[in-house]
Amino acid sequence: THAFQASGLGLDSISEETYPLPVLGPRLKTILRDVLDGRGFVLLRGFPVERYTMEQTAIAYLAIGSYLGSFCSQNAAGHLLGHVRDTGADIKKPKTRFYQTNRGLEYHTDSCDIVGLICLKRSKSGGESRIVSSVSVYNEMMKQRPDLAAQLFHSFPTDRRGEVPEGGKPWFDVPVFNWYAGQL
């Protein structure tokens, strides 16, 4: 992490080449196969966040992520990382995002293939994460209501909740499911 900091490169330059992980890297490639072709998720424990500054943690976290895929901005400002914390924001205001409140997030999809979370500070209460296999949901829908499953491949308007890029609309259209390289 210190070597990458000293390089002067930006966070968007983190890659397997700029941040080699000779021991962990091969294990991360095995994890990637499990995420893509196996159970669909993995829980990694033991990252020593207390040893590092927030910047160093971000660098190390993105380095791990670079072995699992490419980065995707999290908001209209182009941030690669976003913080999920209660800022006291009011969800009734149209620009407030759910992750800025103390309200529990409902099941939702993120517009990417792999999502990662790292806990910097454990909350006194709340903060639980729940996951559901979208492939399992799809398979069950195909059994019970294939007509509805087919509709999830059509675009749905999704509220940007104030995260509108310059010149953009306050929503974007995205399907829940799509096929890519033979995979859902």
Side-chain angles (χ1 to χ4, degrees):
T1 301
H2 297 293
F4 185 85
Q5 276 182 301
S7 75
L9 295 171
L11 294 180
D12 59 343
S13 297
I14 295 174
S15 67
E16 294 178 48
E17 292 74 33
T18 62
Y19 199 111
L21 296 170
V23 176
L24 183 58
R27 175 74 179 117
L28 291 170
K29 291 301 180 184
T30 301
I31 286 170
L32 177 61
R33 293 275 46 99
D34 195 29
V35 168
L36 295 178
D37 300 324
R39 70 176 163 232
F41 74 96
V42 66
L43 174 63
L44 301 175
R45 294 180 183 267
F47 188 95
V49 294
E50 67 282 350
R51 281 195 216 157
Y52 302 104
T53 66
M54 190 166 308
E55 180 185 12
Q56 291 168 335
T57 300
I59 291 168
Y61 178 70
L62 287 171
I64 290 168
S66 73
Y67 283 74
L68 304 176
S70 56
F71 305 137
C72 176
S73 70
Q74 299 296 300
N75 55 31
H79 297 149
L80 295 179
L81 297 173
H83 293 277
V84 177
R85 73 176 100 159
D86 179 10
T87 62
D90 181 359
I91 195 59
K92 293 175 184 167
K93 293 184 177 177
K95 292 187 177 185
T96 299
R97 306 293 297 247
F98 284 91
Y99 63 77
Q100 299 168 320
T101 72
N102 66 358
R103 181 175 169 172
L105 284 173
E106 298 157 357
Y107 287 115
H108 64 282
T109 61
D110 290 305
S111 298
C112 57
D113 295 322
I114 297 175
V115 174
L117 299 169
I118 186 169
C119 182
L120 298 176
K121 292 183 181 179
R122 192 173 254 178
S123 64
K124 292 179 183 175
S125 66
E128 295 86 6
S129 291
R130 300 169 295 188
I131 59 171
V132 171
S133 167
S134 57
V135 174
S136 294
V137 169
Y138 172 77
N139 289 339
E140 191 61 30
M141 287 183 75
M142 285 300 291
K143 287 180 197 172
Q144 294 187 32
R145 292 292 307 268
D147 58 317
L148 294 180
Q151 295 304 311
L152 297 178
F153 287 87
H154 299 291
S155 293
F156 287 88
T158 302
D159 186 0
R160 292 183 191 264
R161 302 259 336 154
E163 294 286 341
V164 182
E166 190 169 326
K169 299 181 245 176
W171 75 90
F172 61 96
D173 295 315
V174 64
V176 174
F177 293 122
N178 71 294
W179 294 102
Y180 178 77
Q183 292 189 311
L184 183 65

